[in-house]
């Protein structure tokens, strides 16, 4: 039997199946990331973004087509994490705009929606790159527009649109040499294909394949919080996740740490899995700590006050007085407590916990923006994969919010040092943006997968020195790789070397390294600070 039109109920099911299919295969998407660093991977970011859409749809009382489209779009806009999540949110935004005023979608309207989705996503990226999720979306849209008149069955039409997307995905390595070298297709494009596959199956009434659930629990929630009352809430976010490959992790240390940032802590270890539940005001900090112990899955964060119908104004955190208006406010993303303290000393107003390993969402930025009573607010994403989310938050705010596109922690520090309260906002924005290019940053971490990139064969567990988005040096010893990375950053006019050591390291651990650097570069000042960032042994800068 032909399906000629899609109504709101059918579209909701397509969204739900798309999100479920991506969640099932997100680890496959994560494995496609070319850069083998322990980061907020594409599949995880896209899945968490789309999951926020589904949470918002769960609150929707009707299945009117535009309401379903708009709700899914809004959920993704606020929940967007990483560049891939922001692009996904823009695809949904374009679809929602095209569906406005419609009660059902025929094939032409569906084609128009697919085209609007791709167009909106392209416009959101300043310099679109072919061979990415954008290419996959565009080719599906072009096929839909070119062939809509040939179909009377919606399912047949969308199935062939999907096939075009799969074909485009298979050709992404020919468009991006880095993909071809690594022998993978684009991760964002693959994530989009999983979503569309799920949506088509939802329309067809097919069952989705299910990923194996962790044996530690087959329940949707780890802990039943349904009996909680508003007065029971001290910390606002119910945070749950499972840590995989954690056979050597110390669950007692994790439990002790979580008790310092929240309550209702549950940490249960079963072989190589750890099940975690905590109520906290800082879910990102819980994720960051857990990532030092293994890989995360089944991540779930719920705003308990919202679930219990408590106004944000009733919460102690949200009721925090903004104080008298000031000319400037600053929001910075920080991956470690030590770096957060440095930011505060430099005058940063609000800190968002996160970074490479857990990309903050657009909503994380808007929440901090709302707490600042300032004429002008500057955002420092401090990671290239967070810039789009910061930009999205800035455009959604009614306040004067400006993004300084910092890609590294040292860039933010240098930018804050260049801030001058005696000049106007435009001059400060220009000065802080311009100074980013004067900072050479390096990072030392380990490889989480085997890969080949930039002509180098890298094995899982290798120590890598990274700068400028490229792996500069690879080895087995942290100090040796760090020293070589600094060598690659040095120029004749360099005057200052800054070293921020990571979580688990102490200043004395850097003594031999610093002594060797000071002896080799005796005309340079060397500064050592605790960054306490997870997974990255050192963050470096040379100026």
């Amino acid at each position: 039997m032909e399906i000629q039109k899609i109504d709101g109920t059918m579209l909701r099911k397509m969204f739900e199946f798309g999100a479920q299919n991506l969640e099932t295969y997100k680890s496959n998407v994560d494995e496609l990331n070319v850069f083998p660093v322990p980061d907020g991977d594409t599949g995880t970011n896209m899945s968490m973004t789309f999951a926020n859409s589904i949470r918002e749809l769960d609150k929707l009382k009707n299945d009117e087509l535009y309401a379903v489209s708009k709700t899914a779009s809004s959920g993704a806009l606020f929940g967007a994490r990483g560049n891939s999540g922001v692009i996904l949110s823009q695809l949904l935004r374009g679809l929602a705009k095209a569906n406005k005023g419609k009660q059902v979608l025929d094939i032409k309207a569906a084609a128009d929606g697919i085209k609007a989705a791709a167009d909106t996503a392209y416009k959101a990226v300043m310099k679109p790159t072919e061979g990415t999720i954008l290419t996959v979306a565009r080719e599906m849209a072009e096929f839909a527009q070119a062939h809509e008149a040939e179909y009377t069955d919606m399912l047949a039409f969308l199935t062939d649109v999907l096939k075009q997307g799969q074909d485009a995905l298979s050709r992404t390595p020919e468009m991006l040499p880095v993909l071809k070298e690594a022998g993978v297709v684009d991760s964002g494009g693959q994530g989009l294909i999983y979503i569309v596959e799920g949506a088509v199956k939802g329309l067809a009434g097919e069952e989705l394949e299910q990923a194996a659930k962790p044996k530690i629990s087959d329940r949707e929630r780890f802990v039943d919080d349904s009996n909680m009352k508003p007065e029971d809430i001290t910390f606002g976010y119910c945070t749950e996740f499972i840590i995989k490959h954690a056979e050597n992790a110390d669950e007692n240390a994790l439990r002790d740490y979580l008790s310092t940032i929240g309550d209702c802590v549950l940490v249960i270890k079963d072989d190589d899995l750890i099940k975690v539940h905590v109520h906290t005001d800082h879910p990102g900090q819980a994720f960051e700590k857990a990532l030092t112990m293994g890989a995360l899955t089944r991540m779930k964060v719920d705003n308990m006050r919202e679930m219990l119908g408590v106004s944000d104004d009733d919460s102690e955190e949200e009721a925090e007085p903004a104080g008298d208006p000031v000319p400037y406010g600053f929001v910075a993303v920080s991956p470690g407590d030590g770096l957060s303290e440095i930011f505060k000393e430099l005058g940063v107003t609000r800190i968002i916990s996160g970074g490479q390993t857990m990309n903050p969402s657009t909503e994380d930025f808007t929440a901090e923006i709302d707490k600042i009573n300032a004429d002008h607010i500057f955002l420092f994403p401090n990671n290239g994969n967070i810039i789009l989310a910061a930009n999205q938050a800035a455009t959604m705010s009614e306040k004067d919010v400006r993004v300084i596109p910092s890609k590294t922690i040292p860039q933010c520090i240098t930018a804050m040092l260049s801030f001058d309260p005696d000049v106007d906002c435009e001059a400060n924005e220009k000065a802080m943006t311009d100074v980013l290019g004067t900072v050479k940053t390096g990072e030392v971490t380990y490889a989480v997968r085997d890969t080949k990139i930039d002509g180098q064969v890298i094995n899982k567990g290798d120590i890598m020195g990274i700068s400028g988005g490229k792996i500069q040096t690879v080895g087995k010893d942290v100090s040796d790789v760090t020293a070589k990375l600094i060598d690659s950053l040095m120029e004749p006019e360099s005057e200052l070397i800054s070293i921020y050591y990571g979580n688990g390291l102490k200043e004395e651990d850097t003594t031999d390294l610093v002594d060797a650097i000071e002896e080799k570069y005796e005309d340079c000042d060397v500064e050592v600070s605790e960054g306490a960032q997870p997974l990255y042994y050192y963050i470096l800068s040379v100026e």
Side-chain angles (χ1 to χ4, degrees):
M1 181 177 178
E2 286 190 353
I3 300 174
Q4 296 181 340
K5 295 181 180 180
I6 296 173
D7 61 19
T9 300
M10 297 162 74
L11 184 62
R12 181 198 282 249
K13 184 177 181 181
M14 292 172 72
F15 283 149
E16 291 170 345
F17 270 54
Q20 186 178 338
N21 201 49
L22 176 60
E23 173 65 21
T24 297
Y25 296 108
K26 68 181 181 184
S27 60
N28 294 5
V29 179
D30 288 343
E31 287 299 317
L32 294 174
N33 283 272
V34 174
F35 233 52
V37 295
D39 62 4
D41 280 337
T42 301
T44 298
N45 282 335
M46 292 181 73
S47 184
M48 293 182 74
T49 298
F50 209 7
N52 208 54
S53 294
I54 304 307
R55 281 193 288 270
E56 293 303 309
L57 283 172
D58 287 342
K59 304 172 189 175
L60 189 64
K61 302 302 182 183
N62 69 79
D63 278 350
E64 189 269 326
L65 181 80
Y66 178 63
V68 170
S69 302
K70 179 64 174 175
T71 300
S73 170
S74 297
L77 282 171
F78 280 99
R81 296 177 184 272
N83 293 341
S84 57
V86 172
I87 292 172
L88 174 58
S89 76
Q90 292 299 313
L91 289 167
L92 292 169
R93 178 169 172 256
L95 180 63
K97 287 192 299 182
N99 289 351
K100 188 172 184 179
K102 296 182 174 68
Q103 299 302 314
V104 295
L105 299 178
D106 58 16
I107 290 176
K108 182 182 187 311
D112 290 343
I114 297 169
K115 178 68 162 57
D119 288 347
T120 302
Y122 263 88
K123 290 176 183 176
V125 180
M126 185 172 296
K127 295 181 180 179
T129 301
E130 296 301 329
T132 66
I133 182 175
L134 294 173
T135 302
V136 176
R138 176 179 56 75
E139 290 207 15
M140 285 194 290
E142 289 173 350
F143 178 89
Q145 291 280 292
H147 298 279
E148 63 183 59
E150 301 170 15
Y151 293 85
T152 57
D153 181 5
M154 180 71 75
L155 182 58
F157 171 66
L158 293 181
T159 298
D160 286 349
V161 169
L162 170 60
K163 289 178 180 177
Q164 180 63 39
Q166 292 168 328
D167 179 66
L169 177 66
S170 70
R171 289 183 279 105
T172 55
E174 302 304 319
M175 304 177 206
L176 280 178
V178 66
L179 297 177
K180 188 171 186 178
E181 182 182 23
V184 297
V185 296
D186 177 67
S187 56
Q190 180 65 79
L192 179 59
I193 290 299
Y194 281 135
I195 290 172
V196 179
E197 283 178 346
V200 170
K201 288 185 177 183
L203 180 63
E206 298 179 17
E207 294 296 321
L208 292 177
E209 295 180 19
Q210 299 293 317
K213 295 285 187 181
K215 63 180 178 179
I216 200 164
S217 173
D218 58 3
R219 293 184 299 167
E220 178 64 21
R221 298 194 62 85
F222 302 155
V223 174
D224 184 4
D225 293 319
S226 61
N227 294 321
M228 289 197 68
K229 300 176 181 179
E231 57 268 25
D232 297 329
I233 299 175
T234 302
F235 301 93
Y237 296 94
C238 176
T239 303
E240 298 177 337
F241 52 89
I242 286 175
I243 310 174
K244 301 189 298 181
H245 315 307
E247 57 271 15
N248 297 320
D250 184 346
E251 71 270 27
N252 294 319
L254 177 60
R255 187 181 297 109
D256 291 344
Y257 172 78
L258 294 176
S259 297
T260 69
I261 64 169
D263 60 12
C264 299
V265 176
L266 172 71
V267 178
I268 299 177
K269 189 171 184 180
D270 181 6
D271 296 330
D272 63 340
L273 298 176
I274 300 178
K275 178 174 65 175
V276 179
H277 170 278
V278 60
H279 294 173
T280 178
D281 287 332
H282 303 286
Q285 292 181 8
F287 290 140
E288 293 283 353
K289 182 66 174 179
L291 279 164
T292 66
M293 300 180 171
L296 303 190
T297 187
R298 292 189 65 192
M299 293 174 285
K300 186 178 181 67
V301 179
D302 290 318
N303 184 328
M304 293 189 295
R305 295 188 177 94
E306 185 178 87
M307 292 170 65
L308 294 176
V310 180
S311 168
D312 284 342
D313 293 335
D314 295 334
S315 75
E316 181 178 344
E317 175 71 14
E318 294 297 330
E320 179 182 329
D324 295 330
V326 295
Y328 295 101
F330 306 89
V331 179
V333 177
S334 171
D337 292 340
L339 295 169
S340 297
E341 290 304 313
I342 293 172
F343 286 154
K344 291 175 183 177
E345 291 173 2
L346 291 172
V348 172
T349 318
R350 306 292 305 189
I351 304 292
I352 298 176
S353 178
Q356 185 78 352
T357 50
M358 177 52 62
N359 298 155
S361 67
T362 299
E363 188 173 17
D364 291 330
F365 281 103
T366 58
E368 299 306 325
I369 290 168
D370 289 344
K371 296 171 187 172
I372 298 176
N373 187 6
D375 298 329
H376 312 284
I377 300 173
F378 292 108
L379 305 184
F380 293 92
N382 298 338
N383 186 287
N385 203 36
I386 303 174
I387 292 175
L388 285 184
N391 286 336
Q392 192 152 275
T395 59
M396 293 168 65
S397 177
E398 296 180 357
K399 299 180 180 181
D400 180 28
V401 182
R402 307 177 185 217
V403 177
I404 306 300
S406 52
K407 295 183 178 180
T408 69
I409 295 297
Q411 284 183 338
C412 177
I413 292 172
T414 301
M416 284 299 300
L417 288 170
S418 70
F419 173 76
D420 184 351
D422 295 326
V423 302
D424 62 26
C425 181
E426 285 70 23
N428 269 311
E429 181 180 18
K430 184 178 186 306
M432 289 191 292
T433 301
D434 289 346
V435 79
L436 301 181
T438 68
V439 185
K440 302 186 72 173
T441 301
E443 298 167 317
V444 180
T445 186
Y446 61 91
V448 296
R449 63 180 71 92
D450 296 341
T451 191
K452 182 180 180 182
I453 185 171
D454 295 332
Q456 300 186 79
V457 176
I458 298 171
N459 297 313
K460 182 178 179 180
D462 283 350
I463 307 301
M464 303 180 298
I466 303 168
S467 178
K470 292 189 175 184
I471 299 172
Q472 304 292 343
T473 181
V474 179
K476 302 296 183 183
D477 181 77
V478 173
S479 294
D480 182 56
V481 169
T482 304
K484 290 180 179 178
L485 180 59
I486 291 175
D487 289 343
S488 73
L489 298 175
M490 294 297 293
E491 294 180 352
E493 63 272 20
S494 297
E495 298 176 344
L496 173 64
I497 301 170
S498 300
I499 301 173
Y500 306 91
Y501 56 89
N503 189 33
L505 295 177
K506 298 179 181 179
E507 186 169 358
E508 51 264 34
D509 295 327
T510 70
T511 300
D512 291 342
L513 173 65
V514 171
D515 288 346
I517 293 170
E518 288 180 331
E519 181 178 353
K520 187 170 186 178
Y521 300 106
E522 56 185 19
D523 293 333
C524 281
D525 293 327
V526 180
E527 295 183 354
V528 180
S529 304
E530 180 185 16
Q533 67 275 1
L535 307 178
Y536 283 69
Y537 304 107
Y538 294 108
I539 296 175
L540 316 165
S541 70
V542 174
E543 301 176 63

